[in-house]
Amino acid sequence: MHPLAASVHRKTLTNLITWPFTGYLPQELKIFEPKVPRRGPVASGPTMGADERTRFFDHLMTVAERGVHAEEALLRRQAVYLLGFDQRDQVAEWLRGEWSSAGRRPIADGDVTSLLEARSASVALASIGDGSHLHDFVLRANGTRADLANLNYWAHWIGELPDDQTDDTFMAADDTKAWSGVRLLHHLVSRLDPASPHLPLNLHTVHALVASRPVLLATSPDSRSALAGALEMISSTAVLNREGRDQVAGLHYALRLADR
């Protein structure tokens, strides 16, 4: 079994996999960061040569191209997501082709597999600087069942769901009592950054989370303050489209209700 097919990845694992490409030390490993700089020319983290990087990403593309069967959906979409960390022009073109295939097909209500294929392609393209398709995905994913799957996915991604998941079926679960949303709200609000390539998806998810769990704001003045500050920051720029401005307005209204 390919490692990308073994389980649905969480943020912790993905940050570890991509560390050599991003140069960002995963938050969970900061406790091991040396307090005193090492002597001599020592790398601050894992590094890969140009040939190794090329071989790694070429393998991911091969895996994604071959993963056409239903039972390989998890493998394929996780490979597609990681291709967003490759900056080669030919990879960008390949991802646009993936979006053309996955992102333009009608997504039936409750079809988690098709939803996630489109999500992975649009997120990967946004990571390499082509954010138009992420706006398209958010528009198409706006609905009760799609929002439920999106929230369940995020809860797993940041570690609010206690169990590992070997496939995507958990995202269709109607009962979301297994996670509170406290950590998820904190995580998402910290990513309402005008410079984030994934701002449209982050904002959409905050809006859906607050709509489904207004108690998160009602019981936490700190969360209300953090969200208000983030909304002010993104509203002062020109990054929001019409839907984004509507979502910001909705969140401002939720803040006023929670502050009564």
Side-chain angles (χ1 to χ4, degrees):
M1 178 180 290
H2 195 283
L4 296 184
S7 65
V8 182
H9 289 178
R10 299 183 193 268
K11 176 174 69 75
T12 47
L13 178 57
T14 300
N15 287 351
L16 188 64
I17 293 172
T18 59
W19 186 9
F21 312 117
T22 64
Y24 297 130
L25 176 68
Q27 184 68 34
E28 295 75 17
L29 299 182
K30 287 189 180 295
I31 59 172
F32 302 111
E33 195 172 16
K35 304 301 181 184
V36 179
R38 298 174 180 173
R39 295 182 179 180
V42 179
S44 60
T47 60
M48 298 179 72
D51 290 344
E52 292 173 310
R53 292 169 66 100
T54 297
R55 192 159 60 248
F56 176 81
F57 286 118
D58 283 351
H59 170 73
L60 289 181
M61 190 178 297
T62 300
V63 165
E65 288 176 338
R66 292 178 178 174
V68 296
H69 301 293
E71 64 273 15
E72 298 171 310
L74 175 62
L75 170 61
R76 179 182 177 85
R77 72 166 180 81
Q78 294 195 143
V80 169
Y81 173 81
L82 290 173
L83 283 168
F85 292 88
D86 191 353
Q87 298 298 313
R88 290 178 295 172
D89 291 341
Q90 63 265 38
V91 174
E93 286 304 312
W94 187 90
L95 288 171
R96 291 187 184 98
E98 179 69 10
W99 167 257
S100 295
S101 173
R104 295 180 180 174
R105 289 197 307 265
I107 300 176
D109 194 27
D111 184 357
V112 173
T113 298
S114 295
L115 181 74
L116 292 176
E117 286 180 352
R119 184 188 193 277
S120 295
S122 61
V123 168
L125 280 168
S127 297
I128 60 176
D130 185 351
S132 60
H133 303 298
L134 191 57
H135 286 286
D136 295 338
F137 170 74
V138 168
L139 284 172
R140 296 188 59 207
N142 189 15
T144 303
R145 302 300 303 176
D147 281 332
L148 176 65
N150 182 47
L151 289 173
N152 282 333
Y153 175 86
W154 276 98
H156 174 77
W157 170 257
I158 59 102
E160 280 213 47
L161 282 174
D163 299 324
D164 290 334
Q165 303 293 335
T166 57
D167 58 45
D168 295 329
T169 55
F170 75 97
M171 298 180 206
D174 291 308
D175 185 3
T176 61
K177 294 178 182 177
W179 53 276
S180 70
V182 174
R183 286 178 59 189
L184 179 53
L185 181 63
H186 175 76
H187 174 82
L188 289 168
V189 169
S190 70
R191 281 155 179 78
L192 294 182
D193 181 349
S196 171
H198 305 130
L199 177 62
L201 180 58
N202 295 344
L203 178 59
H204 173 83
T205 307
V206 171
H207 186 269
L209 178 62
V210 169
S212 66
R213 283 175 164 80
V215 68
L216 291 173
L217 295 182
T219 58
S220 176
D222 289 342
S223 294
R224 295 198 298 272
S225 177
L227 178 57
L231 294 178
E232 181 179 358
M233 181 171 59
I234 62 176
S235 297
S236 64
T237 68
V239 298
L240 297 175
N241 62 3
R242 176 179 165 181
E243 184 185 17
R245 291 191 295 271
D246 289 345
Q247 289 170 344
V248 167
L251 287 167
H252 276 305
Y253 182 68
L255 284 170
R256 290 195 297 271
L257 290 178
D259 207 22
R260 288 180 177 178

